[in-house]
Amino acid sequence: LQTSDETRQSAEKIHFFNVPAFLTVSGQLHLEVMAGAFTHVFTFGPTFRAENSQSRRHLAEFYMVEAELSFTESLQDIMQVMEDLFKTATNTVLSKCPHDVELFHKYIAPAQKPFFFFSCRISYNEAVEILKQASQTFTFKPEWGCDLQTEHEKYLVKHCGEVPVFVINYPYDLKPFYMRDNDEDGPQHTVAAVDLLVPGTGELCGGSLREERLPCLESRLQRLGLIDAYQW
């Protein structure tokens, strides 16, 4: 028999905020279909995390921008869009909300200073090597094939001079099925994915090239047991 405490803990693992909840996925995959007709599409709206996220950094409910661009063949194109979006949003906030920015600097992050967007670009492989050679002791040991934790992301930003950092080409097994396979063999098997890390926060946004080769897509869905779920 389970005790009341064990029952509660078991329920917390199943339920979102300790109560039953039914969440839908975001509109991302539907956007990929729409992009075939309209080339550039995006959504902006409320998003809910399926996992139990109740921290200041990972809100359970938040607003997210998702975009899909047709005829994009390189991560460079995606990084340029991410950089332009970041610059536009930052400049708009700084120019139109000076009192909010002043309040933020006074009470939330007094040491945080504005910075010009000179970005650093490194591969996941390079990131792991930088972390392994760091004098700092991490709670999560950096190893190839493991996801980068917040402590790793913040260190990488600091290592690169407190500027935004693009990390590209993540391990194949870390990322979703729709990200494009880089066709590399062995332990360095990666996909064309990118995350943008920024000072004071870590990861801000991410993206990837989409797998457009049907045999590759079907093969991966088959291995993951997702053929029926994504038949459409």
Side-chain angles (χ1 to χ4, degrees):
L1 294 176
Q2 282 188 320
T3 65
S4 59
D5 188 55
E6 289 173 338
T7 302
R8 177 183 60 79
Q9 291 178 0
S10 177
E12 287 179 354
K13 293 180 181 179
I14 300 173
H15 296 151
F16 191 68
F17 284 137
N18 306 334
V19 296
F22 302 91
L23 307 176
T24 65
V25 296
S26 70
Q28 178 184 321
L29 295 180
H30 300 84
L31 279 179
E32 290 190 29
V33 177
M34 293 177 66
F38 299 104
T39 67
H40 291 181
V41 293
F42 74 94
T43 62
F44 176 65
T47 305
F48 302 89
R49 290 187 182 275
E51 64 270 18
N52 198 331
S53 300
Q54 303 182 54
S55 68
R56 292 178 63 189
R57 183 170 182 269
H58 290 106
L59 300 178
E61 178 184 358
F62 59 101
Y63 273 68
M64 179 166 65
V65 176
E66 292 183 298
E68 296 293 330
L69 313 173
S70 292
F71 313 117
T72 303
E73 298 183 351
S74 75
L75 283 178
Q76 175 61 40
D77 294 339
I78 296 174
M79 288 188 284
Q80 189 61 57
V81 170
M82 292 167 68
E83 182 172 324
D84 291 344
L85 176 60
F86 188 28
K87 284 180 179 177
T88 300
T90 302
N91 288 332
T92 299
V93 170
L94 290 175
S95 62
K96 296 191 175 184
C97 310
H99 296 301
D100 293 305
V101 173
E102 182 181 351
L103 193 68
F104 179 83
H105 282 160
K106 184 176 181 180
Y107 293 105
I108 308 299
Q112 192 69 38
K113 299 178 181 179
F115 54 85
F116 296 101
F117 201 106
F118 295 111
S119 62
C120 174
R121 304 186 181 191
I122 59 176
S123 68
Y124 172 88
N125 292 347
E126 292 172 315
V128 171
E129 288 305 311
I130 290 171
L131 294 169
K132 283 184 175 181
Q133 295 173 20
S135 57
Q136 178 177 327
T137 300
F138 298 107
T139 302
F140 297 92
K141 185 179 179 181
E143 293 287 352
W144 202 98
C146 294
D147 211 352
L148 298 180
Q149 303 296 320
T150 301
E151 60 177 345
H152 301 151
E153 295 167 349
K154 289 185 176 181
Y155 180 86
L156 290 169
V157 170
K158 182 180 179 180
H159 176 84
C160 293
E162 293 291 353
V163 297
V165 178
F166 286 105
V167 181
I168 64 171
N169 297 332
Y170 279 78
Y172 178 89
D173 291 330
L174 278 184
K175 294 298 184 179
F177 68 89
Y178 50 78
M179 295 190 174
R180 197 179 199 278
D181 190 342
N182 279 332
D183 297 322
E184 297 176 17
D185 296 325
Q188 306 302 311
H189 195 175
T190 62
V191 293
V194 55
D195 282 341
L196 174 60
L197 316 181
V198 298
T201 300
E203 181 191 350
L204 179 68
C205 57
S208 76
L209 293 180
R210 303 307 192 212
E211 183 59 82
E212 84 287 358
R213 298 163 296 182
L214 185 58
C216 294
L217 194 58
E218 289 178 331
S219 174
R220 193 166 189 189
L221 285 170
Q222 183 71 50
R223 287 198 299 275
L224 295 172
L226 297 174
I227 286 289
D228 291 337
Y230 289 100
Q231 185 58 46
W232 62 271

